Amino acid sequence: FGVGLVGCGVVGGGVVRNLGRNRALIASRAGAELEIRRVAVRDLAKAREGLEVPVTGDWREVVDDPSVDFVVELMGGTTVAEEVARATIAAGKPLITANKALLAERGDGLFAAAEERGVPIYFEASVAGGIPIVKALREGLCANHIRRMHGIVNGTCNYILSRMADEGTGFEETLAEAKALGYAEADESLDVDGIDAAHKTAILASLAYGFHVPFSSVFVEGIRRVEAIDVCMANRLGYRIKLLATVRADENGAVEARVHPTLIPLKHVLASVGGVFNAVAVEGDVVGSTLFYGRGAGPDPTASAVLSDLVEAVGDRLHGGCRGFARHDLYGKLLPMEEVVTRYYLRLTVLNCPGTLAAVAAIFGAHGIGISSVFQPEDHDGETVPLVLLMDYAREKAIRTALVEVDQLKAVRESARVIRVEDFS
Ligand code: NAP
Ligand code: HSE
């Protein structure tokens, strides 16, 4: 079968290299040879190692090439990529994509068009790099109601947070390393502002709950505001800060989907997921707890996922099958962030004077929010000190309201730093 690549950068290069490396194995598993027949890139002058097929600057030549049976979109973005996807579907060719932004933001329309045309879309590489989490949710766990999922799904952020915690390295320097290693998106703000993780969360939530969870409904906060002091305080309190995706359904079937820096107890397995590694913990009503772990970014892990989709596409072509997005009508409501109930880490910057803690505690008490522990480091010698509170479970709306009042106290010198806490109970 002929494969056309639209985009041959970090991931495309990995696909070319690894298809060459494991050609015989892949052919025997797929039941047919896979051959890259045509490739589209933006810059024709760039050297492309291992590429021995015609390279064009016009992606339409790839989609229209009669020798191309499967189109693999690895260019990123949502504008031209959507045109590529729609043209591929219109041509009746299976689409393979690693583009989570495209699926999270335009997936509803694309899957509908694909279904109408009877064309499959494969997207294993779009979530968690080399971890086969899409296939796990779609196939291995399909007999389960998914109770909840927690995932570290952005390799770049996990790399940055791990290096900050383990080696005390600075944010900018570590981001530059992640870019050099091919982990980061072309637009790095997609990673550090949590957008990439939110794209993946929308896809995971849609797969788990069988309805299109719009990207715009995923609550997102990135890691730019995580400071060294919070990493240090978290550690003293027995936690690690991770950019965590949380997806779960409540007892009424309302689905929450959110991504934000989160304190995770050091003893929980997700706390030890370091560097570029990703992990997704999925709890189903039949299977119980499961954990998926592996490299979440980089050319080779992502190529592993793309190549697995190509093998699946060959199987479907040979034996009949059309993978899409399996909807069902068991769920359909989304829980607004204000209604989410979770725990919180709050770091206040307060004047070091008597009565401050009592005043802060009184406000939370008046809103019915319990404080589970308080910490103020003794080794602070300035006029202001950090006052760290770990809160009991509270509704987001209540915490936000109480914090408006706390901010108005004379002794409070800066708005509270709020990081949510997940204790997995
Ligand atoms: P990349 O290194 O920037 O590669 C993008 C490729 O697309 C380049 O070859 C580029 O051409 C080509 N391209 C851009 N605009 C084009 C156009 N208009 N026509 C034809 N080709 C065009 O990006 P990447 O890291 O490989 O990521 C590709 C996709 O995989 C993205 O959707 C990303 O989110 C996803 N992904 C990436 C990773 C990862 O670890 N990097 C992991 C999972 C998923 P030039 O080479 O000439 O610039
Ligand atoms: N930029 C993404 C990450 C690539 O760091 O996880 C993998 O999707």
Side-chain angles (χ1 to χ4, degrees):
F1 286 98
V3 176
L5 298 185
V6 180
C8 194
V10 171
V11 180
V15 169
V16 171
R17 193 171 52 253
N18 287 293
L19 180 57
R21 177 165 122 177
N22 288 353
R23 182 173 298 283
L25 174 81
I26 290 169
S28 72
R29 292 226 161 106
E33 281 276 347
L34 282 165
E35 198 178 273
I36 296 174
R37 300 256 166 86
R38 197 177 272 258
V39 174
V41 293
R42 190 171 29 199
D43 179 359
L44 290 173
K46 258 190 217 170
R48 317 266 166 190
E49 212 180 308
L51 205 57
E52 289 154 1
V53 294
V55 177
T56 170
D58 181 1
W59 59 264
R60 287 176 191 81
E61 288 181 21
V62 174
V63 176
D64 295 343
D65 186 332
S67 77
V68 166
D69 300 291
F70 307 123
V71 175
V72 185
E73 182 276 306
L74 299 172
M75 66 190 297
T78 53
T79 48
V80 184
E82 184 177 13
E83 288 179 48
V84 174
R86 287 199 176 272
T88 302
I89 292 165
K93 297 185 181 186
L95 173 72
I96 289 117
T97 181
N99 191 337
K100 50 270 164 149
L102 178 70
L103 296 179
E105 295 185 25
R106 313 282 163 88
D108 207 19
L110 287 178
F111 281 112
E115 201 176 324
E116 200 175 307
R117 186 71 176 78
V119 170
I121 300 180
Y122 305 88
F123 50 100
E124 184 59 69
S126 66
V127 185
I131 306 176
I133 187 67
V134 171
K135 288 183 177 60
L137 286 170
R138 228 173 37 182
E139 297 167 25
L141 300 175
C142 67
N144 287 261
H145 289 97
I146 302 300
R147 297 231 187 273
R148 57 183 183 169
M149 274 192 282
H150 291 104
I152 293 171
V153 291
N154 184 271
T156 303
C157 289
N158 203 46
Y159 185 79
I160 294 172
L161 292 174
S162 303
R163 299 265 284 138
M164 279 172 84
D166 296 338
E167 282 136 75
T169 43
F171 184 90
E172 292 299 336
E173 154 197 5
T174 323
L175 172 60
E177 281 174 24
K179 283 165 90 169
L181 290 164
Y183 303 157
E185 297 300 306
D187 170 3
E188 69 202 33
S189 79
L190 290 175
D191 292 302
V192 295
D193 293 323
I195 318 264
D196 174 78
H199 285 144
K200 293 165 177 166
T201 304
I203 296 171
L204 287 175
S206 303
L207 283 168
Y209 293 112
F211 71 103
H212 174 67
V213 174
F215 163 66
S216 57
S217 68
V218 179
F219 174 83
V220 57
E221 237 181 60
I223 63 165
R224 280 189 206 273
R225 295 191 60 219
V226 175
E227 294 178 34
I229 182 173
D230 297 312
V231 173
C232 171
M233 293 289 169
N235 195 41
R236 282 190 181 192
L237 293 162
Y239 292 87
R240 259 286 159 117
I241 301 181
K242 295 287 182 191
L243 184 72
L244 190 74
T246 300
V247 174
R248 72 175 137 219
D250 70 11
E251 59 281 5
N252 303 313
V255 172
E256 73 184 65
R258 52 190 166 101
V259 171
H260 45 69
T262 307
L263 266 70
I264 297 178
L266 283 170
K267 63 177 188 303
H268 192 274
V269 65
L270 288 180
S272 57
V273 174
V276 72
F277 280 83
N278 281 191
V280 186
V282 186
E283 196 181 301
D285 62 343
V286 182
V287 72
S289 297
T290 60
L291 180 70
F292 300 84
Y293 172 80
R295 284 178 198 275
D300 292 341
T302 314
S304 168
V306 171
L307 290 168
S308 82
D309 275 350
L310 275 166
V311 170
E312 192 181 352
V314 172
D316 286 349
R317 174 63 66 90
L318 292 176
H319 310 296
C322 183
R323 287 284 169 189
F325 172 56
R327 282 174 186 275
H328 57 72
D329 58 7
L330 295 181
Y331 301 87
K333 278 182 295 182
L334 287 155
L335 195 69
M337 189 60 196
E338 297 72 39
E339 297 304 326
V340 163
V341 174
T342 185
R343 296 189 57 210
Y344 297 83
Y345 157 104
L346 307 177
R347 177 171 55 81
L348 309 179
T349 303
V350 298
L351 282 182
N352 196 4
C353 62
T356 304
L357 178 58
V360 170
I363 293 176
F364 287 116
H367 286 273
I369 303 169
I371 299 174
S372 56
S373 74
V374 178
F375 177 63
Q376 183 180 307
E378 283 196 352
D379 46 357
H380 239 268
D381 51 7
E383 190 197 21
T384 60
V385 288
L387 174 62
V388 174
L389 308 174
L390 277 182
M391 313 302 290
D392 282 339
Y393 282 93
R395 205 170 291 282
E396 177 88 10
K397 192 165 48 183
I399 281 281
R400 289 185 193 173
T401 311
L403 281 174
V404 170
E405 288 175 35
V406 168
D407 279 353
Q408 284 162 3
L409 292 174
K410 277 209 179 67
V412 172
R413 289 307 159 105
E414 277 173 33
S415 289
R417 182 69 193 101
V418 180
I419 306 182
R420 294 164 191 86
V421 178
E422 181 57 64
D423 61 12
F424 303 97
S425 62

